[in-house]
Amino acid sequence: MLQPKYFIWFSQDIMVKRASQEPNYHALYLQFVEALNRPDLTRCILRETLVSISRLLNAETTPGSSRDQGYLKNLGAWLGGITLARNLPILRENVSFKDLLCEGYNSNRLIVAIPFVCKVLEQAARSTIFHPPNPWLMSIMGVLAELYDTANLKLKLTFEIEVLCKALTLDVKDIQPTAILGSQPMRGAVDALTADLAKAAIGGDTGDTRGPAGAGAPAADAAGTLAGAVQMPVINGADISVDILGVLSQHASFHTAESLFAQQPTMKKIFYMLTERMIREIIPIHVARSIYVAVSCTRDTIQKDFCGEPNEEN
């Protein structure tokens, strides 16, 4: 008989590794586990499955690797098979599907999140508890319906949702979509922060949002009418060609938060994403402001130096 000291090895190298590569044998592996009738082994397999899934979900290479995406989909089907299909719940502390979809929407990783969630939920069709109209299932389906309607998904992702609905005998058009993606606090907070910083950088504390007019008026008055007003250049985040995420990952160091980021790698990705967004929103404002000041000062200096010359060609 399999001894407890070999449970982790059995779960990792035999079950989880094979389950990620051989989806056609999931039913056979599940029958084998049930035949062993070892609750401790079943819990160990579930834990190692969740660890493998978490590693793939958080890996930076997964969105660009079709192989890793395939492994993740297979593990999703396996997770649903050992839980939902057997009428066992997936605890929110292990996998929060709605939060996963929202995070994927905010971080442009829906190509990872949606296929995984769909593969897990497909197994609910074999359940006597979690099949429609189970409230837990339908709440997740509502988020998927909102993504289907409003997120401008690629054809591959819409197909995943349609396949899931077919497996659950649902019509995606009949599912009531949620409204949580449009009111995500993280995205709204970033937009509000950058908007406030933009106003402060251009218009000052007076709330004047007319651009360079408020800040550049004294210089324009001092220069007189010898030349027209200097226009603020228009620069946006798309003009920044630097790979900001690559630079951050290479040079950013977190001495005080290293242990926290090691325990919660998702927080590190969110920090990088927020930092990149703020840089792309704020840097163009300051660059345009610097150009405006430099051009204004240069113009005023030239006008002041040559205003007494009778012949401007001398």
Side-chain angles (χ1 to χ4, degrees), residues 126-149:
R126 299 160 48 193
S127 172
T128 58
I129 296 177
F130 297 103
H131 64 81
N134 178 273
W136 173 82
L137 174 67
M138 297 310 296
S139 65
I140 303 173
M141 293 301 298
V143 180
L144 289 172
E146 183 181 0
L147 288 170
Y148 186 90
D149 291 338

Side-chain angles (χ1 to χ4, degrees), residues 198-199 201-204 207-217 230-232 289 292:
K199 293 178 181 178
I202 296 178
D208 187 358
T209 59
R210 294 174 295 173
V230 177
Q231 298 296 322
M232 173 74 79
R289 173 74 173 174
Y292 170 79

Side-chain angles (χ1 to χ4, degrees), residues 182-204:
S183 58
Q184 284 296 293
M186 182 176 64
R187 174 170 291 187
V190 173
D191 292 341
L193 174 62
T194 53
D196 291 340
L197 288 173
K199 293 178 181 178
I202 296 178

